[in-house]
Amino acid sequence: DATAAQTSSVLQRYDADSSGTLDLEEFSRLALALWKALGSNGAPPASDPSAAEPPVLGVSELRAALRDMDIDCAEGGVTTVLARYDKDSSGRLDLREFSLLASELSVSHAVRTAFSTFDRDR
């Protein structure tokens, strides 16, 4: 078990914005560092050879992720979403880019739900 001092040290190291908490990107960096530390010589575990690079979503994977979130996108729709959120123009979404998309979709869904709840004249 980690001591309070060890926990505080880890938080200070990975809390890039000094908020006192870890956001998704900060936590992802911590998780990746732990994962690498558990591999031999800091390398990713041999059971997953593709893990040497950070995880990203291409068009087909993004379509599946959106479908899993109950958003059905045709090929052109996924390409449009990818173009909007792919900040580094890699043709794929990394975790930070996908997190932004998911956050905006979540807010959008909450707004639509609230509007529908209070729209009395429909």
Side-chain angles (χ1 to χ4, degrees):
D1 290 346
T3 66
Q6 290 169 322
T7 303
S8 179
S9 175
V10 168
L11 179 61
Q12 287 176 348
R13 181 173 179 189
Y14 290 93
D15 183 17
D17 60 3
S18 300
S19 66
T21 61
L22 297 181
D23 63 25
L24 183 58
E25 184 176 351
E26 293 164 340
F27 181 77
S28 297
R29 287 185 319 124
L30 168 61
L32 183 60
L34 288 171
W35 180 57
K36 286 182 176 180
L38 294 174
S40 62
N41 300 324
S47 62
D48 188 357
S50 67
E53 296 181 24
V56 293
L57 298 178
V59 172
S60 62
E61 296 160 322
L62 178 57
R63 183 181 304 105
L66 291 171
R67 198 173 297 132
D68 192 59
M69 297 165 66
D70 293 327
I71 299 169
D72 192 21
C73 282
E75 180 71 32
V78 173
T79 304
T80 300
V81 168
L82 184 62
R84 178 172 177 196
Y85 290 92
D86 181 19
K87 300 300 182 193
D88 61 1
S89 301
S90 65
R92 304 175 299 176
L93 295 185
D94 62 26
L95 182 58
R96 185 185 77 249
E97 294 163 337
F98 182 75
S99 296
L100 177 61
L101 167 62
S103 293
E104 288 184 11
L105 289 173
S106 178
V107 168
S108 177
H109 177 72
V111 168
R112 281 194 308 272
T113 300
F115 186 84
S116 294
T117 300
F118 295 103
D119 181 18
R120 304 274 185 220
D121 61 347
R122 58 180 161 113

